[in-house]
Amino acid sequence: MVPMIRSGILAFGLATMASGGAWAQSPPSNPVLSADRMQMVSCLSQSGTAASSCIGSVAVTCVRAASGDRRAAETDCARREEVVWRERLTFASQAVMRNADSGARGQFAALQVAWEGYAAQKCAFYGSMQPSVRMAGMQAGCMLREVASRSLELERMVGQRNLVRRPSNPPSIIR
């Protein structure tokens, strides 16, 4: 790939990852977001190797507590949980970027941009296949699942590979 194009993709990818969850994030002092984070951490710590069983846990609790229009609650609650997963995705992406060499960072940034586009198109397609009254809820649920799954994938990768850069010439102790 031409270096200028590659650096452009890298810059775009880094900007996308850095701002990926920003559109949906609430202020850090938001008590609802803090409670959602705590609920997710609790679920993940209790799930063991079945972390994917936590996908939807915040949204289901939220919908059960909601009053009024159930369809609107399903959409809002899915988006609310997506914020938590997107934060986790951002942190996992930053860990990958921080611990990879420049070539791998460029590849990862391009991969993340492609993944974001894929997830958006997939969920738009699924939503368009539904009756109009269910479209928003289906799209929100789809994005929740996609973001959560990607977050778990990257968190596993970071944990399994322990992507810590090792110095090429480790220091030696002379005694």
Side-chain angles (χ1 to χ4, degrees):
M1 187 178 284
V2 177
M4 193 160 105
I5 294 172
R6 185 174 180 192
S7 64
I9 290 173
L10 176 61
F12 178 73
L14 290 172
T16 301
M17 286 188 304
S19 66
W23 63 269
Q25 287 181 357
S26 300
S29 61
N30 181 331
V32 173
L33 181 56
S34 295
D36 291 349
R37 281 187 198 118
M38 293 301 291
Q39 183 179 348
M40 187 60 61
V41 167
S42 175
C43 182
L44 289 169
S45 67
Q46 294 173 11
S47 70
T49 59
S52 62
S53 65
C54 294
I55 299 172
S57 61
V58 170
V60 167
T61 302
C62 173
V63 169
R64 286 182 181 151
S67 59
D69 182 9
R70 183 171 174 87
R71 286 196 177 121
E74 289 172 353
T75 302
D76 293 342
C77 293
R79 288 179 179 152
R80 185 172 132 182
E81 182 174 337
E82 182 191 343
V83 171
V84 176
W85 285 110
R86 200 162 278 279
E87 280 183 340
R88 295 181 69 89
L89 176 62
T90 299
F91 291 134
S93 297
Q94 289 170 347
V96 170
M97 295 294 279
R98 183 175 45 251
N99 296 306
D101 63 26
S102 64
R105 281 193 300 269
Q107 287 177 315
F108 181 72
L111 175 64
Q112 282 301 101
V113 169
W115 173 82
E116 285 284 351
Y118 163 77
Q121 289 298 315
K122 176 182 178 180
C123 295
F125 172 74
Y126 285 162
S128 71
M129 299 299 289
Q130 301 299 316
S132 60
V133 295
R134 298 196 60 209
M135 183 184 293
M138 290 302 288
Q139 282 183 276
C142 176
M143 281 307 291
L144 162 60
R145 287 185 302 279
E146 291 297 318
V147 170
S149 295
R150 182 68 176 156
S151 173
L152 291 173
E153 177 184 14
L154 292 183
E155 288 173 358
R156 274 190 308 274
M157 184 178 77
V158 169
Q160 287 173 353
R161 294 197 178 181
N162 197 8
L163 297 174
V164 177
R165 265 195 267 176
R166 306 279 185 232
S168 57
N169 294 317
S172 59
I173 299 174
I174 302 173
R175 293 186 184 207

